[in-house]
Amino acid sequence: MIDLNSDLGEGFGIWRLGDDDALLDVVTSANVACGFHAGDPSTMRRVCERAAARGVAVGAQVSYRDLAGFGRRFIDVDPRELADEVLYQIGALEACARAAGTSVTYVKPHGALYNATVHHDAQAAAVVAGVRAFGDLPVLGLPGSRLLHHAARAGLRPVREAFADRAYTPEGTLVPRREPGAVLGDADAVLARVLRLAERGELVAADGSVIEVDVDSVCVHGDTPGAVEHARVIRAALASAGVDVARFVPGPTRLAE
């Protein structure tokens, strides 16, 4: 079994990014922007409503406070402040989710915060502290990251994630977006990546080396060219290969009426 997740709700005001509705027909988990790197209250509530209607799990995609940089710039924020900002973002999305008849069921950092928590011990611990202050929610992150280490120590479920459309270093980290080839645009390459992950537990790094990795969820970015088609092809191919595509979070999405 494998979960498919995608970053959704990343518009802001009159601006739209990606096709949330089309991706919600394919993915099993939705990482919803909480207003710090993208998203606004109306967008958050709308995505939660449409996710609930489709039985898609809602996750809080928490970020640095960086609308101008789309959360892709490292910020040396005080850990206590970062923990509070993570808590704030989860709470904001939970309000929208409850109004939509669902709830926040996991947390995933976005962009630069996601990459920082791979090695930055203080920020990884701060993110987990913010999640723990809210409740007992699973945390998505890179296998072997400090984020998942601290999540496990705090009694939260660590969910190992891989990316269908991002290049990897030989060390198993993401190639920085500023480098050529960091984002995979070829549909065949993306499909081959996911099938190899599901069937062999392997990733091929940018230098051709093979990385062994066990994952629980695969991310298809909603803002990359061809994202919807990539997601559809991936889901169909996984089904054909006998892989059950399902949410990693058990239980009903919609709350009892």
Side-chain angles (χ1 to χ4, degrees):
M1 188 186 77
I2 201 160
D3 172 71
L4 282 182
N5 75 76
S6 188
D7 303 344
L8 302 178
E10 291 188 315
F12 183 79
I14 66 171
W15 309 106
R16 293 289 179 264
L17 183 65
D19 190 338
D20 291 344
D21 284 343
L23 283 166
L24 283 169
D25 286 333
V26 182
V27 300
T28 48
S29 297
N31 318 315
V32 184
C34 300
F36 272 35
H37 76 280
D40 56 55
S42 294
T43 301
M44 292 159 65
R45 184 170 181 175
R46 181 175 65 250
V47 174
C48 287
E49 288 172 345
R50 294 175 183 178
R54 293 166 171 82
V56 174
V58 171
Q61 188 168 40
V62 298
S63 171
Y64 292 127
R65 189 188 294 270
D66 182 26
L67 274 176
F70 197 62
R72 288 181 175 163
R73 303 180 293 191
F74 173 76
I75 299 177
D76 189 16
V77 60
D78 177 83
R80 184 181 294 274
E81 181 181 348
L82 179 58
D84 290 340
E85 291 192 340
V86 167
L87 174 62
Y88 179 94
Q89 291 176 80
I90 300 170
L93 185 63
E94 175 67 7
C96 294
R98 283 183 173 271
T102 185
S103 62
V104 174
T105 54
Y106 67 93
V107 177
K108 173 184 171 179
H110 165 81
L113 182 58
Y114 185 99
N115 290 325
T117 58
V118 173
H119 299 299
H120 197 301
D121 198 66
Q123 290 204 356
V127 170
V128 170
V131 178
R132 201 72 187 89
F134 180 84
D136 185 17
L137 295 179
V139 177
L140 264 73
L142 208 67
S145 64
R146 299 306 296 167
L147 177 70
L148 295 192
H149 166 80
H150 283 290
R153 286 193 63 184
L156 304 178
R157 179 183 174 185
V159 181
R160 302 161 299 179
E161 179 187 40
F163 291 84
D165 49 9
R166 289 295 307 278
Y168 280 79
T169 70
E171 294 73 36
T173 58
L174 298 178
V175 172
R177 282 182 174 268
R178 64 180 177 274
E179 295 186 13
V183 179
L184 308 182
D186 180 71
D188 291 336
V190 171
L191 177 59
R193 156 74 59 78
V194 176
L195 286 176
R196 186 163 185 161
L197 265 173
E199 296 172 353
R200 303 188 204 175
E202 294 177 346
L203 282 169
V204 178
D207 68 350
S209 59
V210 177
I211 307 165
E212 292 186 6
V213 58
D214 289 324
V215 298
D216 307 295
S217 186
V218 173
C219 178
V220 179
H221 279 105
D223 62 337
T224 55
V228 174
E229 188 56 33
H230 288 174
R232 287 171 176 158
V233 169
I234 288 168
R235 178 147 190 171
L238 287 172
S240 296
V243 178
D244 183 21
V245 179
R247 329 167 15 176
F248 67 86
V249 181
T253 300
R254 184 170 290 279
L255 300 176
E257 297 296 337

